[in-house]
Amino acid sequence: MTDTFSTRTIDVTTGSSETVHDLTDACMSFLREVALARDGLLNVFTPHATAGLALIETGAGSDADLLAALHQLLPADNRWQHRHGSPGHGRDHVLPAIVPPHATLPVIGGALQLGTWQSVVLVDTNKDNPDRQVRLSFLG
């Protein structure tokens, strides 16, 4: 069997507030179309200097906890040298060093192998850019 590479870019609107946007369903839908019961790897990448990807539990408060923790680590104030955009926007440019813009995940039998409570999420603290892209790539 030869390796197959498939890729797709999805558009995500995050709005005008900080958000943790769940991408898990989009990832699983993509794999249903392209993985065809094969083993491989799913790479998730966002080509933005102010957004990242994480694996966390959603819906039980962890998404709000993540944003609160980022506020503690990266306050939205005037300490940042990068100063265009909203007040404190420089912190958004530091975010990808803490929440990276990529994740590579195992796929077995065409199914994404996440833990029971794990979800794939886009983390976006940049209120100035509500339109994001995420590239999903499967190699299997």
Side-chain angles (χ1 to χ4, degrees), residues 3-11 26-27 29-35 38 41-47 103 133-140:
D3 288 341
T4 302
F5 180 78
S6 300
T7 190
R8 175 177 303 151
T9 299
I10 60 173
D11 295 317
C27 291
S29 176
F30 172 70
L31 290 171
R32 277 192 296 276
E33 292 178 34
V34 303
R38 290 190 309 266
L41 295 171
L42 174 68
N43 182 263
V44 186
F45 174 74
T46 187
Q133 291 184 329
V134 175
R135 177 166 295 280
L136 306 175
S137 300
F138 174 72
L139 177 63

Side-chain angles (χ1 to χ4, degrees), residues 55-140:
L55 297 178
I56 65 167
E57 178 181 7
T58 59
S62 296
D63 32 5
D65 289 342
L66 174 58
L67 292 175
L70 289 172
H71 272 278
Q72 291 290 319
L73 291 170
L74 304 170
D77 58 22
N78 289 326
R79 73 183 70 205
W80 309 103
Q81 292 186 33
H82 186 107
R83 292 184 185 234
H84 76 85
S86 298
H89 175 66
R91 79 176 190 120
D92 300 327
H93 287 274
V94 177
L95 174 75
I98 295 169
V99 181
H102 57 86
T104 300
L105 308 168
V107 177
I108 305 296
L112 189 58
Q113 298 299 294
L114 295 174
T116 302
W117 303 112
Q118 287 181 313
S119 295
V120 182
V121 298
L122 174 69
V123 180
D124 187 1
T125 59
N126 182 359
K127 298 181 274 190
D128 296 337
N129 186 359
D131 299 312
R132 299 300 187 162
Q133 291 184 329
V134 175
R135 177 166 295 280
L136 306 175
S137 300
F138 174 72
L139 177 63

